[in-house]
Amino acid sequence: MSDGQMVIVEKLVKVYPGGTRAVSGVDFTVSQGEFFAFLGPNGAGKSTTMKVLSTLLRKTSGRVVVASHDVDRDPRAVRRSIGFAMQEVGLDDLVTGWDLLVLQGILYGQSRREARRRAEELLDLVGLTPVAGRKVGTYSGGMRRRLDLVAALVHRPPLLFLDEPTTGLDPQTRLTIWEYLTQLNKQGVTVFLTTQMMEEADRLCQRIAIIDQGQIVAQGSPRSLKAEVGGDVVHVTLASQGREDGRSSAEEAERLATGRSYVAAVERTGTSLTVRVKDGSAAVPDLLRVLHESGVAVTNLSVASPTLDDVFLKYTGRKIRVEEAKGDEVAATLRPWLGLRRR
Amino acid sequence: MGLARETYYIYLRDLKTWLAQPAAVVSTVLSSAFVFLFFGSPLKSVVTLPGFPADDYQAYLTGMVIVMTVVFSGADAAMAMLTDILSGYFDKLLLAPINRFSVLLGSLLTAGTRALIQVVIIVLMATALGVSFKGGVIGALVVIVAAAIFGIAWACLGLAIALKTKSAQVTQSSWLLFMPLAFLTTGFMPKELLTGWFKVAVTINPVDYVMSGIRAIIIQGWAWGAILPGLWALVATTVSMTAIATWLYRRATA
């Protein structure tokens, strides 16, 4: 890689035959040795972009160069240089884990002997040696994910694509995979992953692109992106009783906070407030005093530096976990009927 | 790495996948046995009809059983490919730096092998029931090879359906397409004894020509008048089905 760029994408557009515009004009690069992520909600265009980069999908327009090879002109050279673990693991349930990895090695040009040695090494690496002789169909979700991941590594690719590598995994397995990916990256493997998890992107990546509705809305290191949001965030949780005038205490608190000069923005969700301020520790005493004087009871208050969640909110106007928000709404509607009290 | 080596390993894997489902293997053999059992004995007296070309109905039926089995095996090939498409393993194969044709060739060779094994079992079964091949051992071998090739032709159609629809429901129902092909034939009754629309359908069904050729070798020996049209029908079907499958495969993987 003479120019040090493992991935170059310019004005990439992908329109599916049905007319869905999944990716509309995306530009980005990934440098050699970098740990890079696409962060965005379902349907943002993350998977589509990755499938174009890995030669599984043909782009509509734009320029895509992966590991110095143009995806249209030399797809086989691209495939040789990359490992790709897809969002839905792609495994053959009817063969053993061992057979699957050996065949994988052979298809990447290894001799049987090489393929066997590599399979042994990789199974050991992810702790699957005891189940190597079992059919893949009998594996648990975590085992399948680990097998799928090492299947992408048989040929020691310099560039690794991972589409939501830990979605649906338990926290324990997720941590193991994170550690493993960090190690790989330290050994010089360039990693490009997609995720919906702020924590994942924040913990692993040197650089992040926030993608929404087929477009990149912001790019940079997690630190610089957070800095752009600016200031601190004060989270306030209020006691749930209504006030005499019928307004909820949260509504009242929202009104009060909005009126303070140092407050940049206020957002209310149920009985909690997210207050954006320039300097958290300076704002808290005054905020508490105002709330107390108006008789609004605070049950919890915390000051935090901005998270990637806040970054996403700033650039898209939405929270990333759209589905979860909907779940909350449903729960809020049902709660009175079920006789439940809000926490 | 060459196409041949890639195809070989993909073929081995496909075969392993098939053998890992003993129920599928057993059911194909049983269905052939059932045809012999359910149609062979009760319809025995058909041979006494004037104009019936054979004096042993089991022998007459053998051609039907062989062709029906290999035509239906097209649905098995379709399901095998669809399973890979739906599990995502197909994508994994396409991600490997191989000639993508090896994946298609591997599954067609597997379909051919499957058909070959099934036909060998049917021939043994027929022999056990007292059917003697007028074409001799060579005749039996020709029947087996021709049927295996015919199996590949219908596997092509099955793969085309799987690639085009990518739907388990449609692919599972593809036997509905294979059924008229297998049954609108002279499988149970010679053409002279058929009438009306059925006779017309039989006349335009390429499967019937292949079946008649195969049956001729069994009940008459080297009767070229029936064998040659069967051979042409076999070649024409195989070439056109392979072309359709290849075209769709290219489109699906480009």
Side-chain angles (χ1 to χ4, degrees), chain B residues 122-168:
Chain B
I122 295 167
V123 167
L124 293 176
M125 215 185 292
T127 312
L129 288 168
V131 173
S132 72
F133 280 61
K134 290 275 163 56
V137 176
I138 295 178
L141 289 178
V142 169
V143 165
I144 290 169
V145 172
I149 293 172
F150 206 44
I152 292 180
W154 296 107
C156 282
L157 183 61
L159 295 184
I161 293 169
L163 284 167
K164 186 76 194 148
T165 66
K166 294 194 172 139
S167 144

mmCIF file of all heavy atoms in Angstrom, chain B residues 122-168:
data_model
loop_
_atom_site.group_PDB
_atom_site.id
_atom_site.type_symbol
_atom_site.label_atom_id
_atom_site.label_comp_id
_atom_site.label_asym_id
_atom_site.label_seq_id
_atom_site.Cartn_x
_atom_site.Cartn_y
_atom_site.Cartn_z
ATOM 1 N N ILE B 122 -31.916 -48.454 -8.171
ATOM 2 C CA ILE B 122 -33.149 -48.872 -8.865
ATOM 3 C C ILE B 122 -32.872 -50.054 -9.785
ATOM 4 O O ILE B 122 -33.653 -51.003 -9.843
ATOM 5 C CB ILE B 122 -33.741 -47.691 -9.669
ATOM 6 C CG1 ILE B 122 -34.187 -46.586 -8.706
ATOM 7 C CG2 ILE B 122 -34.915 -48.151 -10.521
ATOM 8 C CD1 ILE B 122 -34.487 -45.281 -9.400
ATOM 9 N N VAL B 123 -31.752 -50.009 -10.492
ATOM 10 C CA VAL B 123 -31.418 -51.104 -11.404
ATOM 11 C C VAL B 123 -31.259 -52.404 -10.612
ATOM 12 O O VAL B 123 -31.761 -53.462 -11.012
ATOM 13 C CB VAL B 123 -30.126 -50.770 -12.201
ATOM 14 C CG1 VAL B 123 -29.583 -52.006 -12.910
ATOM 15 C CG2 VAL B 123 -30.403 -49.665 -13.202
ATOM 16 N N LEU B 124 -30.596 -52.319 -9.457
ATOM 17 C CA LEU B 124 -30.428 -53.512 -8.618
ATOM 18 C C LEU B 124 -31.780 -54.008 -8.120
ATOM 19 O O LEU B 124 -32.070 -55.205 -8.120
ATOM 20 C CB LEU B 124 -29.510 -53.202 -7.427
ATOM 21 C CG LEU B 124 -28.049 -52.914 -7.771
ATOM 22 C CD1 LEU B 124 -27.255 -52.528 -6.531
ATOM 23 C CD2 LEU B 124 -27.416 -54.128 -8.463
ATOM 24 N N MET B 125 -32.631 -53.042 -7.732
ATOM 25 C CA MET B 125 -33.954 -53.388 -7.229
ATOM 26 C C MET B 125 -34.766 -54.094 -8.323
ATOM 27 O O MET B 125 -35.405 -55.117 -8.076
ATOM 28 C CB MET B 125 -34.662 -52.108 -6.791
ATOM 29 C CG MET B 125 -35.570 -52.260 -5.591
ATOM 30 S SD MET B 125 -36.467 -50.731 -5.265
ATOM 31 C CE MET B 125 -35.257 -49.606 -4.756
ATOM 32 N N ALA B 126 -34.721 -53.538 -9.535
ATOM 33 C CA ALA B 126 -35.473 -54.111 -10.652
ATOM 34 C C ALA B 126 -34.974 -55.527 -10.946
ATOM 35 O O ALA B 126 -35.770 -56.445 -11.161
ATOM 36 C CB ALA B 126 -35.328 -53.220 -11.888
ATOM 37 N N THR B 127 -33.652 -55.674 -10.919
ATOM 38 C CA THR B 127 -33.080 -56.993 -11.174
ATOM 39 C C THR B 127 -33.567 -57.988 -10.127
ATOM 40 O O THR B 127 -33.920 -59.130 -10.446
ATOM 41 C CB THR B 127 -31.534 -56.910 -11.154
ATOM 42 O OG1 THR B 127 -31.137 -55.811 -11.972
ATOM 43 C CG2 THR B 127 -30.915 -58.193 -11.688
ATOM 44 N N ALA B 128 -33.614 -57.535 -8.893
ATOM 45 C CA ALA B 128 -34.089 -58.405 -7.814
ATOM 46 C C ALA B 128 -35.546 -58.799 -8.032
ATOM 47 O O ALA B 128 -35.971 -59.883 -7.639
ATOM 48 C CB ALA B 128 -33.932 -57.703 -6.471
ATOM 49 N N LEU B 129 -36.322 -57.908 -8.692
ATOM 50 C CA LEU B 129 -37.734 -58.204 -8.960
ATOM 51 C C LEU B 129 -37.895 -59.059 -10.218
ATOM 52 O O LEU B 129 -39.011 -59.314 -10.659
ATOM 53 C CB LEU B 129 -38.524 -56.906 -9.107
ATOM 54 C CG LEU B 129 -38.769 -56.116 -7.820
ATOM 55 C CD1 LEU B 129 -39.302 -54.726 -8.130
ATOM 56 C CD2 LEU B 129 -39.758 -56.871 -6.925
ATOM 57 N N GLY B 130 -36.794 -59.440 -10.821
ATOM 58 C CA GLY B 130 -36.859 -60.341 -11.965
ATOM 59 C C GLY B 130 -36.814 -59.668 -13.319
ATOM 60 O O GLY B 130 -37.011 -60.305 -14.343
ATOM 61 N N VAL B 131 -36.548 -58.358 -13.349
ATOM 62 C CA VAL B 131 -36.448 -57.668 -14.631
ATOM 63 C C VAL B 131 -35.089 -57.988 -15.246
ATOM 64 O O VAL B 131 -34.063 -57.869 -14.580
ATOM 65 C CB VAL B 131 -36.570 -56.144 -14.446
ATOM 66 C CG1 VAL B 131 -36.302 -55.417 -15.760
ATOM 67 C CG2 VAL B 131 -37.933 -55.788 -13.888
ATOM 68 N N SER B 132 -35.081 -58.412 -16.504
ATOM 69 C CA SER B 132 -33.781 -58.627 -17.141
ATOM 70 C C SER B 132 -33.615 -57.621 -18.261
ATOM 71 O O SER B 132 -34.523 -57.387 -19.057
ATOM 72 C CB SER B 132 -33.667 -60.058 -17.669
ATOM 73 O OG SER B 132 -34.488 -60.213 -18.798
ATOM 74 N N PHE B 133 -32.464 -56.960 -18.281
ATOM 75 C CA PHE B 133 -32.198 -55.918 -19.274
ATOM 76 C C PHE B 133 -31.899 -56.546 -20.622
ATOM 77 O O PHE B 133 -30.901 -57.249 -20.771
ATOM 78 C CB PHE B 133 -31.023 -55.045 -18.814
ATOM 79 C CG PHE B 133 -31.409 -54.008 -17.796
ATOM 80 C CD1 PHE B 133 -31.938 -54.390 -16.556
ATOM 81 C CD2 PHE B 133 -31.262 -52.665 -18.082
ATOM 82 C CE1 PHE B 133 -32.306 -53.436 -15.630
ATOM 83 C CE2 PHE B 133 -31.631 -51.697 -17.158
ATOM 84 C CZ PHE B 133 -32.159 -52.085 -15.926
ATOM 85 N N LYS B 134 -32.754 -56.242 -21.619
ATOM 86 C CA LYS B 134 -32.530 -56.815 -22.949
ATOM 87 C C LYS B 134 -31.232 -56.274 -23.543
ATOM 88 O O LYS B 134 -30.587 -56.935 -24.332
ATOM 89 C CB LYS B 134 -33.724 -56.493 -23.865
ATOM 90 C CG LYS B 134 -35.000 -57.237 -23.483
ATOM 91 C CD LYS B 134 -35.021 -58.614 -24.098
ATOM 92 C CE LYS B 134 -36.045 -59.556 -23.436
ATOM 93 N NZ LYS B 134 -37.426 -59.051 -23.427
ATOM 94 N N GLY B 135 -30.871 -55.071 -23.132
ATOM 95 C CA GLY B 135 -29.633 -54.479 -23.636
ATOM 96 C C GLY B 135 -28.389 -55.026 -22.958
ATOM 97 O O GLY B 135 -27.280 -54.577 -23.248
ATOM 98 N N GLY B 136 -28.562 -55.938 -22.032
ATOM 99 C CA GLY B 136 -27.430 -56.552 -21.356
ATOM 100 C C GLY B 136 -26.773 -55.618 -20.362
ATOM 101 O O GLY B 136 -27.310 -54.554 -20.023
ATOM 102 N N VAL B 137 -25.576 -56.017 -19.917
ATOM 103 C CA VAL B 137 -24.852 -55.219 -18.922
ATOM 104 C C VAL B 137 -24.494 -53.853 -19.505
ATOM 105 O O VAL B 137 -24.626 -52.819 -18.836
ATOM 106 C CB VAL B 137 -23.576 -55.957 -18.469
ATOM 107 C CG1 VAL B 137 -22.774 -55.087 -17.501
ATOM 108 C CG2 VAL B 137 -23.942 -57.278 -17.812
ATOM 109 N N ILE B 138 -24.066 -53.840 -20.753
ATOM 110 C CA ILE B 138 -23.717 -52.561 -21.382
ATOM 111 C C ILE B 138 -24.943 -51.670 -21.446
ATOM 112 O O ILE B 138 -24.885 -50.477 -21.162
ATOM 113 C CB ILE B 138 -23.126 -52.793 -22.791
ATOM 114 C CG1 ILE B 138 -21.807 -53.556 -22.645
ATOM 115 C CG2 ILE B 138 -22.916 -51.464 -23.523
ATOM 116 C CD1 ILE B 138 -21.132 -53.898 -23.944
ATOM 117 N N GLY B 139 -26.082 -52.275 -21.780
ATOM 118 C CA GLY B 139 -27.323 -51.522 -21.811
ATOM 119 C C GLY B 139 -27.622 -50.886 -20.460
ATOM 120 O O GLY B 139 -27.968 -49.705 -20.367
ATOM 121 N N ALA B 140 -27.434 -51.678 -19.408
ATOM 122 C CA ALA B 140 -27.692 -51.172 -18.057
ATOM 123 C C ALA B 140 -26.772 -50.003 -17.739
ATOM 124 O O ALA B 140 -27.192 -48.988 -17.167
ATOM 125 C CB ALA B 140 -27.517 -52.288 -17.037
ATOM 126 N N LEU B 141 -25.487 -50.129 -18.129
ATOM 127 C CA LEU B 141 -24.534 -49.046 -17.868
ATOM 128 C C LEU B 141 -24.923 -47.779 -18.630
ATOM 129 O O LEU B 141 -24.850 -46.662 -18.089
ATOM 130 C CB LEU B 141 -23.110 -49.482 -18.261
ATOM 131 C CG LEU B 141 -22.482 -50.529 -17.332
ATOM 132 C CD1 LEU B 141 -21.109 -50.936 -17.838
ATOM 133 C CD2 LEU B 141 -22.381 -49.989 -15.906
ATOM 134 N N VAL B 142 -25.341 -47.958 -19.890
ATOM 135 C CA VAL B 142 -25.755 -46.798 -20.684
ATOM 136 C C VAL B 142 -26.951 -46.118 -20.015
ATOM 137 O O VAL B 142 -27.000 -44.883 -19.897
ATOM 138 C CB VAL B 142 -26.104 -47.228 -22.135
ATOM 139 C CG1 VAL B 142 -26.778 -46.086 -22.883
ATOM 140 C CG2 VAL B 142 -24.850 -47.682 -22.866
ATOM 141 N N VAL B 143 -27.899 -46.932 -19.546
ATOM 142 C CA VAL B 143 -29.075 -46.387 -18.865
ATOM 143 C C VAL B 143 -28.644 -45.558 -17.655
ATOM 144 O O VAL B 143 -29.111 -44.431 -17.442
ATOM 145 C CB VAL B 143 -30.032 -47.522 -18.429
ATOM 146 C CG1 VAL B 143 -31.059 -47.021 -17.426
ATOM 147 C CG2 VAL B 143 -30.719 -48.115 -19.657
ATOM 148 N N ILE B 144 -27.712 -46.117 -16.883
ATOM 149 C CA ILE B 144 -27.275 -45.438 -15.658
ATOM 150 C C ILE B 144 -26.622 -44.092 -15.977
ATOM 151 O O ILE B 144 -26.944 -43.061 -15.376
ATOM 152 C CB ILE B 144 -26.315 -46.354 -14.858
ATOM 153 C CG1 ILE B 144 -27.106 -47.529 -14.271
ATOM 154 C CG2 ILE B 144 -25.618 -45.573 -13.751
ATOM 155 C CD1 ILE B 144 -26.238 -48.633 -13.700
ATOM 156 N N VAL B 145 -25.721 -44.101 -16.962
ATOM 157 C CA VAL B 145 -25.013 -42.856 -17.300
ATOM 158 C C VAL B 145 -25.989 -41.814 -17.863
ATOM 159 O O VAL B 145 -25.975 -40.643 -17.464
ATOM 160 C CB VAL B 145 -23.872 -43.138 -18.300
ATOM 161 C CG1 VAL B 145 -23.269 -41.832 -18.810
ATOM 162 C CG2 VAL B 145 -22.800 -43.991 -17.639
ATOM 163 N N ALA B 146 -26.863 -42.266 -18.768
ATOM 164 C CA ALA B 146 -27.814 -41.338 -19.377
ATOM 165 C C ALA B 146 -28.714 -40.718 -18.298
ATOM 166 O O ALA B 146 -28.955 -39.505 -18.301
ATOM 167 C CB ALA B 146 -28.669 -42.064 -20.415
ATOM 168 N N ALA B 147 -29.154 -41.558 -17.371
ATOM 169 C CA ALA B 147 -30.052 -41.060 -16.322
ATOM 170 C C ALA B 147 -29.325 -40.056 -15.431
ATOM 171 O O ALA B 147 -29.906 -39.047 -15.008
ATOM 172 C CB ALA B 147 -30.593 -42.217 -15.495
ATOM 173 N N ALA B 148 -28.036 -40.318 -15.144
ATOM 174 C CA ALA B 148 -27.279 -39.400 -14.290
ATOM 175 C C ALA B 148 -27.150 -38.040 -14.975
ATOM 176 O O ALA B 148 -27.303 -36.990 -14.345
ATOM 177 C CB ALA B 148 -25.912 -39.986 -13.969
ATOM 178 N N ILE B 149 -26.880 -38.077 -16.288
ATOM 179 C CA ILE B 149 -26.765 -36.813 -17.033
ATOM 180 C C ILE B 149 -28.107 -36.081 -17.031
ATOM 181 O O ILE B 149 -28.176 -34.855 -16.844
ATOM 182 C CB ILE B 149 -26.291 -37.084 -18.483
ATOM 183 C CG1 ILE B 149 -24.849 -37.600 -18.445
ATOM 184 C CG2 ILE B 149 -26.385 -35.825 -19.339
ATOM 185 C CD1 ILE B 149 -24.327 -38.081 -19.784
ATOM 186 N N PHE B 150 -29.187 -36.861 -17.196
ATOM 187 C CA PHE B 150 -30.520 -36.255 -17.179
ATOM 188 C C PHE B 150 -30.792 -35.635 -15.801
ATOM 189 O O PHE B 150 -31.423 -34.582 -15.695
ATOM 190 C CB PHE B 150 -31.565 -37.328 -17.500
ATOM 191 C CG PHE B 150 -32.826 -36.775 -18.101
ATOM 192 C CD1 PHE B 150 -32.764 -35.799 -19.099
ATOM 193 C CD2 PHE B 150 -34.072 -37.229 -17.697
ATOM 194 C CE1 PHE B 150 -33.928 -35.288 -19.657
ATOM 195 C CE2 PHE B 150 -35.242 -36.724 -18.257
ATOM 196 C CZ PHE B 150 -35.160 -35.748 -19.230
ATOM 197 N N GLY B 151 -30.292 -36.281 -14.777
ATOM 198 C CA GLY B 151 -30.422 -35.741 -13.422
ATOM 199 C C GLY B 151 -29.747 -34.379 -13.316
ATOM 200 O O GLY B 151 -30.274 -33.443 -12.698
ATOM 201 N N ILE B 152 -28.575 -34.235 -13.940
ATOM 202 C CA ILE B 152 -27.863 -32.951 -13.911
ATOM 203 C C ILE B 152 -28.692 -31.879 -14.616
ATOM 204 O O ILE B 152 -28.800 -30.746 -14.154
ATOM 205 C CB ILE B 152 -26.476 -33.094 -14.578
ATOM 206 C CG1 ILE B 152 -25.588 -33.983 -13.710
ATOM 207 C CG2 ILE B 152 -25.831 -31.727 -14.789
ATOM 208 C CD1 ILE B 152 -24.206 -34.214 -14.243
ATOM 209 N N ALA B 153 -29.334 -32.269 -15.751
ATOM 210 C CA ALA B 153 -30.153 -31.306 -16.491
ATOM 211 C C ALA B 153 -31.247 -30.735 -15.592
ATOM 212 O O ALA B 153 -31.461 -29.520 -15.545
ATOM 213 C CB ALA B 153 -30.762 -31.976 -17.718
ATOM 214 N N TRP B 154 -31.940 -31.606 -14.846
ATOM 215 C CA TRP B 154 -33.039 -31.112 -14.007
ATOM 216 C C TRP B 154 -32.534 -30.429 -12.755
ATOM 217 O O TRP B 154 -33.210 -29.558 -12.198
ATOM 218 C CB TRP B 154 -34.040 -32.222 -13.716
ATOM 219 C CG TRP B 154 -34.668 -32.638 -14.995
ATOM 220 C CD1 TRP B 154 -34.438 -33.791 -15.682
ATOM 221 C CD2 TRP B 154 -35.522 -31.838 -15.820
ATOM 222 N NE1 TRP B 154 -35.111 -33.775 -16.879
ATOM 223 C CE2 TRP B 154 -35.791 -32.591 -16.992
ATOM 224 C CE3 TRP B 154 -36.090 -30.572 -15.705
ATOM 225 C CZ2 TRP B 154 -36.599 -32.121 -18.022
ATOM 226 C CZ3 TRP B 154 -36.896 -30.104 -16.730
ATOM 227 C CH2 TRP B 154 -37.146 -30.872 -17.878
ATOM 228 N N ALA B 155 -31.331 -30.804 -12.327
ATOM 229 C CA ALA B 155 -30.727 -30.071 -11.210
ATOM 230 C C ALA B 155 -30.495 -28.625 -11.634
ATOM 231 O O ALA B 155 -30.662 -27.694 -10.847
ATOM 232 C CB ALA B 155 -29.418 -30.726 -10.792
ATOM 233 N N CYS B 156 -30.128 -28.430 -12.912
ATOM 234 C CA CYS B 156 -29.929 -27.076 -13.439
ATOM 235 C C CYS B 156 -31.204 -26.259 -13.286
ATOM 236 O O CYS B 156 -31.167 -25.102 -12.862
ATOM 237 C CB CYS B 156 -29.546 -27.116 -14.916
ATOM 238 S SG CYS B 156 -27.842 -27.558 -15.184
ATOM 239 N N LEU B 157 -32.340 -26.881 -13.622
ATOM 240 C CA LEU B 157 -33.604 -26.161 -13.500
ATOM 241 C C LEU B 157 -33.894 -25.845 -12.028
ATOM 242 O O LEU B 157 -34.308 -24.733 -11.684
ATOM 243 C CB LEU B 157 -34.745 -26.992 -14.098
ATOM 244 C CG LEU B 157 -36.113 -26.300 -14.098
ATOM 245 C CD1 LEU B 157 -36.090 -25.030 -14.931
ATOM 246 C CD2 LEU B 157 -37.206 -27.235 -14.594
ATOM 247 N N GLY B 158 -33.610 -26.825 -11.172
ATOM 248 C CA GLY B 158 -33.805 -26.613 -9.738
ATOM 249 C C GLY B 158 -32.951 -25.464 -9.223
ATOM 250 O O GLY B 158 -33.426 -24.579 -8.507
ATOM 251 N N LEU B 159 -31.658 -25.445 -9.623
ATOM 252 C CA LEU B 159 -30.757 -24.377 -9.182
ATOM 253 C C LEU B 159 -31.238 -23.030 -9.703
ATOM 254 O O LEU B 159 -31.170 -22.019 -8.999
ATOM 255 C CB LEU B 159 -29.334 -24.636 -9.679
ATOM 256 C CG LEU B 159 -28.641 -25.880 -9.121
ATOM 257 C CD1 LEU B 159 -27.201 -25.952 -9.618
ATOM 258 C CD2 LEU B 159 -28.670 -25.889 -7.614
ATOM 259 N N ALA B 160 -31.740 -23.040 -10.930
ATOM 260 C CA ALA B 160 -32.240 -21.791 -11.505
ATOM 261 C C ALA B 160 -33.387 -21.242 -10.655
ATOM 262 O O ALA B 160 -33.438 -20.047 -10.363
ATOM 263 C CB ALA B 160 -32.695 -22.023 -12.944
ATOM 264 N N ILE B 161 -34.279 -22.148 -10.233
ATOM 265 C CA ILE B 161 -35.408 -21.705 -9.399
ATOM 266 C C ILE B 161 -34.907 -21.147 -8.072
ATOM 267 O O ILE B 161 -35.338 -20.087 -7.614
ATOM 268 C CB ILE B 161 -36.384 -22.873 -9.154
ATOM 269 C CG1 ILE B 161 -37.060 -23.267 -10.475
ATOM 270 C CG2 ILE B 161 -37.440 -22.499 -8.102
ATOM 271 C CD1 ILE B 161 -37.842 -24.554 -10.410
ATOM 272 N N ALA B 162 -33.950 -21.845 -7.458
ATOM 273 C CA ALA B 162 -33.425 -21.401 -6.165
ATOM 274 C C ALA B 162 -32.739 -20.045 -6.303
ATOM 275 O O ALA B 162 -32.944 -19.135 -5.500
ATOM 276 C CB ALA B 162 -32.453 -22.431 -5.606
ATOM 277 N N LEU B 163 -31.929 -19.870 -7.351
ATOM 278 C CA LEU B 163 -31.180 -18.627 -7.536
ATOM 279 C C LEU B 163 -32.108 -17.464 -7.852
ATOM 280 O O LEU B 163 -31.889 -16.336 -7.431
ATOM 281 C CB LEU B 163 -30.183 -18.781 -8.685
ATOM 282 C CG LEU B 163 -28.919 -19.577 -8.385
ATOM 283 C CD1 LEU B 163 -28.200 -19.925 -9.678
ATOM 284 C CD2 LEU B 163 -27.999 -18.797 -7.464
ATOM 285 N N LYS B 164 -33.141 -17.771 -8.640
ATOM 286 C CA LYS B 164 -34.030 -16.716 -9.097
ATOM 287 C C LYS B 164 -34.951 -16.245 -7.969
ATOM 288 O O LYS B 164 -35.148 -15.049 -7.787
ATOM 289 C CB LYS B 164 -34.854 -17.244 -10.280
ATOM 290 C CG LYS B 164 -35.728 -16.224 -10.951
ATOM 291 C CD LYS B 164 -34.923 -15.294 -11.848
ATOM 292 C CE LYS B 164 -35.753 -14.080 -12.224
ATOM 293 N NZ LYS B 164 -34.964 -12.876 -12.405
ATOM 294 N N THR B 165 -35.496 -17.201 -7.208
ATOM 295 C CA THR B 165 -36.506 -16.815 -6.224
ATOM 296 C C THR B 165 -35.914 -16.579 -4.831
ATOM 297 O O THR B 165 -36.435 -15.776 -4.075
ATOM 298 C CB THR B 165 -37.579 -17.904 -6.084
ATOM 299 O OG1 THR B 165 -36.975 -19.072 -5.529
ATOM 300 C CG2 THR B 165 -38.183 -18.249 -7.426
ATOM 301 N N LYS B 166 -34.860 -17.290 -4.499
ATOM 302 C CA LYS B 166 -34.260 -17.237 -3.155
ATOM 303 C C LYS B 166 -35.312 -17.435 -2.084
ATOM 304 O O LYS B 166 -35.218 -16.885 -0.989
ATOM 305 C CB LYS B 166 -33.520 -15.923 -2.939
ATOM 306 C CG LYS B 166 -32.318 -15.818 -3.838
ATOM 307 C CD LYS B 166 -31.365 -14.735 -3.462
ATOM 308 C CE LYS B 166 -30.123 -14.847 -4.313
ATOM 309 N NZ LYS B 166 -29.597 -13.602 -4.778
ATOM 310 N N SER B 167 -36.349 -18.184 -2.423
ATOM 311 C CA SER B 167 -37.435 -18.393 -1.469
ATOM 312 C C SER B 167 -37.581 -19.875 -1.174
ATOM 313 O O SER B 167 -37.647 -20.708 -2.079
ATOM 314 C CB SER B 167 -38.738 -17.840 -2.049
ATOM 315 O OG SER B 167 -39.836 -18.635 -1.673
ATOM 316 N N ALA B 168 -37.636 -20.211 0.114
ATOM 317 C CA ALA B 168 -37.760 -21.611 0.519
ATOM 318 C C ALA B 168 -39.100 -22.180 0.082
ATOM 319 O O ALA B 168 -39.195 -23.313 -0.367
ATOM 320 C CB ALA B 168 -37.602 -21.732 2.029
#
